[in-house]
Amino acid sequence: MKKYSLYFLLVPAFGLLISCGSSNETATNVAAIYELQIVDSVQVNLLSSGLSIADVNDETGELLAIQPSPPVAYVLSPKGEVLKKMDRLTGDPQAVGDYLLSGEFYEDGIALMGFMTVKTYDMDFNLRESMKPDFTHGGMVYMGFNHLFEIKGNDHNRLVAYMGPQTEFSDKNAEYYQDRKIMTLIDPYLAKEQSLATESMDKEIYKPVGKLASDSRFVTSGKAFSFLKPELDVKDNFLYYAFKGDTTMYKVELSSGEIVGKTRIPFDEFILFRGFSMGPVGLKEQRESGPSDKSGSIERVYKLGDFEVIVYSSGMKLSDIEELDRDSPDFRERLMKADPQKHLIIKNGRRMNDELRLPDKVSHFDMADNNGFLWAHQDISKLEEEPDLITFYKLKVVEVK
C-alpha cells in the first residue's frame, strides 16, 4: 500500500526572479480601482479544529462547514446556527474516512469528499451513494481546500473534484506532463446504476478532464516538478486554475476539457521555480540542494463574477533570507512577515487593486460562492485574547476609485 503525507508547506529550490512585462501594470494605471470589502459576518458557536466553509446554498443561504480531522460536517443557518451535524466514526460505512477533505451542496442534498472517496447524502446526512474510483495516486492529502464542486447538466447534475494527479507516470518522467489530468468528473447517477450492471462502469463514473497546455512551461521545459498542485475554482461549468508555481491562469470548459482562455498573471514580482532534472539525476539534485531562493507560490484562485482573485506570495531571494538570521528563534515569523500573502483582483487580465496585502481582519479565505461573495476567516492574531466564537467574513469586490 502506498503511503501518503499531509500537505502543509513545500518550498522548492532554484528560484528565478521574473517580471511579468507589460502585464505587470499597476492598478494606478487603470480607469478604476477595486478592493475586497467586508460586507457581512457570521459567528459560529462551536469548539472546532480547523473549521472552514465549504459551500453556500444558492437558494437558502445555508452554509456547509467542515472540520477535516476528526471528520465533522455541519449545515449552518445563514446566521451561523447549527442545523445539522454529521460526525460518524471512521468505521461507520456512511462515514467518509479518516479525513473530510471537502464538501458541496449537491442537488437536494450534500456531497462529501474523503481521501479517494466521494459520498452523497440527503440533507439529514443519510447516505445515498458511495463512490470510490479504481485509480490511485502517489500524491498528498490536501486538507482545508475547496476541491469538490457541483456542475449543472441537462438531465442531472454531476460533481467535479480534484483527487490528485490522475496518471500512471511518475513526475520524474516527461510522459507525466503529457498525460496528467487536472480534475475528475464524477456522475453519482451512474454510480447508482452500476449496482445493477453486469460490468464495471468506473470509466464512465470517473472521467479525467483537462490536460496541461501544450505550451505550458511544465511541458516544454524538460524539467521535473514535484507536487505540481493546481489552485482552482469552478463557476458556471468552467474550471479556473493556476499551478502553485506558475504565472498563467487557465479557463477550461468542463464539458469538453478544452482550454478556452488563459491569462498572464500580473504579479508585482514572483520568484519562479526552475524545476529539477528528469530521472535519477533530479532526485540527486533534490537531495544535495542547499539553501536557495524561496520560490513564489499561488495559494488560492477564485472566480467572483467578472473578476478573478489570486492569493499568493512573491518569494524571496536567498541574499534577503540570509539577512533575517536563520539561527534566530523567530526566523520563521520573520520570513512570513518579509514574504507576506498578497492578493490580486484581476479583470480581463489586468490588475485592478493597488493594495496587495490581504484585507484587514482577514487571515485567509475559504471559498467563493455563486453570488459573487468571498468567504474568509477572522484574523485572531491581533486580538488581545482568543474569542469564544468563530467568525467568518463575507467579502465583495467593490469599486473605490
Side-chain angles (χ1 to χ4, degrees):
M1 180 179 292
K2 294 182 179 179
K3 295 182 179 179
Y4 300 89
S5 303
L6 298 183
Y7 175 79
F8 292 102
L9 176 67
L10 179 70
V11 181
F14 306 133
L16 174 66
L17 180 65
I18 68 165
S19 170
C20 294
S22 61
S23 65
N24 196 28
E25 182 179 25
T26 63
T28 55
N29 294 325
V30 299
I33 305 296
Y34 293 81
E35 69 179 21
L36 284 170
Q37 287 188 0
I38 295 173
V39 296
D40 201 356
S41 64
V42 175
Q43 292 188 317
V44 183
N45 187 12
L46 285 173
L47 292 175
S48 176
S49 174
L51 189 72
S52 64
I53 295 177
D55 195 17
V56 179
N57 191 302
D58 295 341
E59 298 178 358
T60 67
E62 293 173 346
L63 309 173
L64 177 61
I66 62 172
Q67 173 183 287
S69 180
V72 185
Y74 302 92
V75 176
L76 308 176
S77 76
K79 294 183 178 181
E81 303 159 323
V82 176
L83 303 178
K84 306 287 182 182
K85 176 183 178 181
M86 189 188 81
D87 58 352
R88 295 187 177 97
L89 299 177
T90 301
D92 190 318
Q94 296 197 44
V96 294
D98 294 329
Y99 304 106
L100 175 51
L101 304 183
S102 195
E104 180 84 351
F105 287 112
Y106 172 67
E107 294 197 329
D108 63 345
I110 294 167
L112 298 178
M113 176 178 163
F115 176 68
M116 300 306 290
T117 299
V118 174
K119 297 190 177 186
T120 60
Y121 304 84
D122 64 19
M123 288 298 293
D124 293 314
F125 290 112
N126 296 308
L127 182 66
R128 286 177 171 171
E129 300 300 329
S130 180
M131 295 158 285
K132 189 174 182 64
D134 61 356
F135 65 86
T136 186
H137 67 85
M140 305 176 80
V141 176
Y142 297 97
M143 298 191 296
F145 292 82
N146 196 24
H147 283 168
L148 183 67
F149 304 89
E150 181 181 37
I151 58 174
K152 306 297 182 181
N154 294 328
D155 50 354
H156 63 270
N157 296 345
R158 291 184 291 172
L159 295 162
V160 61
Y162 177 66
M163 306 183 79
Q166 191 173 338
T167 177
E168 297 177 357
F169 299 99
S170 164
D171 58 17
K172 305 299 184 292
N173 301 323
E175 292 86 352
Y176 173 91
Y177 304 93
Q178 300 287 343
D179 181 68
R180 172 189 169 140
K181 310 303 186 297
I182 306 299
M183 300 285 279
T184 302
L185 287 172
I186 304 171
D187 193 329
Y189 280 73
L190 287 182
K192 184 176 182 178
E193 294 175 7
Q194 180 173 239
S195 60
L196 304 176
T198 56
E199 297 182 1
S200 174
M201 297 165 59
D202 279 351
K203 291 184 178 180
E204 294 297 321
I205 298 171
Y206 310 97
K207 284 188 174 182
V209 61
K211 298 181 68 173
L212 273 68
S214 59
D215 59 352
S216 164
R217 74 186 189 94
F218 303 116
V219 175
T220 61
S221 67
K223 294 289 187 177
F225 299 85
S226 299
F227 305 109
L228 190 59
K229 179 181 183 296
E231 300 303 327
L232 49 90
D233 198 3
V234 173
K235 292 290 183 294
D236 298 322
N237 291 12
F238 287 95
L239 164 68
Y240 300 83
Y241 80 90
F243 283 102
K244 292 188 73 70
D246 202 7
T247 58
T248 303
M249 177 175 56
Y250 295 94
K251 178 181 179 181
V252 175
E253 184 182 54
L254 286 171
S255 60
S256 65
E258 297 297 324
I259 295 173
V260 295
K262 61 181 180 179
T263 301
R264 179 78 164 173
I265 301 172
F267 292 118
D268 56 332
E269 58 182 6
F270 194 83
I271 297 181
L272 199 63
F273 174 50
R274 299 185 184 191
F276 296 106
S277 299
M278 294 286 186
V281 176
L283 292 174
K284 183 179 179 182
E285 290 175 356
Q286 292 184 57
R287 289 194 300 267
E288 298 179 354
S289 62
S292 63
D293 295 343
K294 179 177 183 291
S295 300
S297 178
I298 296 173
E299 301 301 327
R300 295 288 196 278
V301 170
Y302 299 109
K303 181 64 175 174
L304 293 172
D306 295 332
F307 301 91
E308 294 87 33
V309 173
I310 294 182
V311 181
Y312 70 103
S313 58
S314 293
M316 289 181 67
K317 298 295 290 183
L318 177 59
S319 57
D320 295 327
I321 295 175
E322 296 299 343
E323 291 182 1
L324 300 178
D325 185 7
R326 290 181 181 274
D327 296 327
S328 172
D330 61 346
F331 170 72
R332 183 171 294 276
E333 288 75 14
R334 291 186 182 188
L335 184 62
M336 293 178 64
K337 186 175 181 179
D339 183 29
Q341 282 201 345
K342 310 173 186 178
H343 78 289
L344 298 173
I345 300 173
I346 302 172
K347 184 177 182 181
N348 298 325
R350 303 176 70 183
R351 172 180 147 195
M352 308 302 291
N353 58 315
D354 56 4
E355 176 57 69
L356 295 179
R357 65 188 178 89
L358 297 189
D360 291 337
K361 299 183 179 180
V362 168
S363 65
H364 61 280
F365 301 107
D366 282 350
M367 57 86 63
D369 66 24
N370 292 327
N371 294 312
F373 295 102
L374 194 57
W375 292 81
H377 277 253
Q378 179 188 35
D379 183 2
I380 63 172
S381 64
K382 299 177 182 178
L383 301 180
E384 294 183 358
E385 57 184 30
E386 189 168 342
D388 295 328
L389 303 176
I390 301 172
T391 299
F392 296 103
Y393 291 121
K394 183 179 179 182
L395 300 97
K396 188 174 184 179
V397 175
V398 299
E399 185 176 346
V400 294
K401 228 179 252 194

